[in-house]
Amino acid sequence: MARKKVAILISGRGSNMRALIEACAAKSYPARIVAVVSNRPEAPGLDIARQRGLEAVAIDHTKFASRAAFESALDEILRAAGTQIICNAGFMRLLSGGFVRKWHNRHLNIHPSLLPAYKGLHTHERVLEDGVRITGCTVHFVRTEMDAGPIVAQAAVPVCAGDTPESLAARVLAAEHRIYPHALELVASGAARVRDEKVILRQSGAAPDTLFWPRP
Ligand code: GAR
């Protein structure tokens, strides 16, 4: 089967992007990267992508007169690259309904919490403030509501005594780097699909397993 053409959207560091690039390096992986796009020209992830020989472009959203104009330029770049699946990897710009609908069920996002808990920013700070013991990360299909949509993969990550937002973020990020390649593999291979706004495995009809990180 032909490998699915993936575009990665970033805004910053790009460590999840790097995890996807590394997964795509295996010939047996069902996806390959055709474009990396950042809405911030200074995103360090752009250089990481270029060093790995990928086409990486910045389209600075501040230079566009409207959200619609930015999104139509983004859509054009994605289509010109032959994109079949979009992966948001630390892409911190909200996309409007028009764009989201065009890429329905072909657009993934990663978020550093166990959704639907802790949508939005500062997830680790809020987890620590609430005294939550288990947190994690989620890869989900993008919908118009922020940080919502059918869940492809989640990893549960313990909150440890003495954690700071930084130490917790680092533990969750390590889990993110495991589940994003796993989730993209499920979607790109066709093993997972959306039915009634839930993700099920084609073979069993069951939801994909939850991962635990670090493994118990
Ligand atoms: C990651 O923790 C990702 O889950 C988060 O931004 C970070 C990007 O890091 N995304 C969101 O909060 C989206 N709502 P990275 O640039 O190193 O991949």
Side-chain angles (χ1 to χ4, degrees), residues 13-16 90 92 110-112 147 173 176:
R13 180 176 56 181
S15 73
N16 277 291
M92 304 309 271
I110 187 156
H111 183 74
D147 297 330
L173 192 66
E176 294 183 43

Side-chain angles (χ1 to χ4, degrees), residues 7 11 15 29 50 68 74 110 119 124 129 132 170 172 183 185 201 205 207:
S11 298
S15 73
Y29 194 77
R50 288 177 189 135
L74 175 60
I110 187 156
K119 295 175 181 176
H124 309 301
E129 255 167 44
V132 165
V172 171
E185 183 172 8
L201 293 174

Side-chain angles (χ1 to χ4, degrees), residues 10-18 88-92 109-113 119-124 137-138 140 146-147 169 172-173 176-177:
I10 62 169
S11 298
R13 180 176 56 181
S15 73
N16 277 291
M17 172 203 73
R18 196 175 51 219
N88 290 7
F91 183 67
M92 304 309 271
N109 180 48
I110 187 156
H111 183 74
S113 76
K119 295 175 181 176
L121 298 174
H122 310 299
T123 52
H124 309 301
C137 47
T138 303
H140 63 96
M146 181 189 66
D147 297 330
V172 171
L173 192 66
E176 294 183 43
H177 297 161

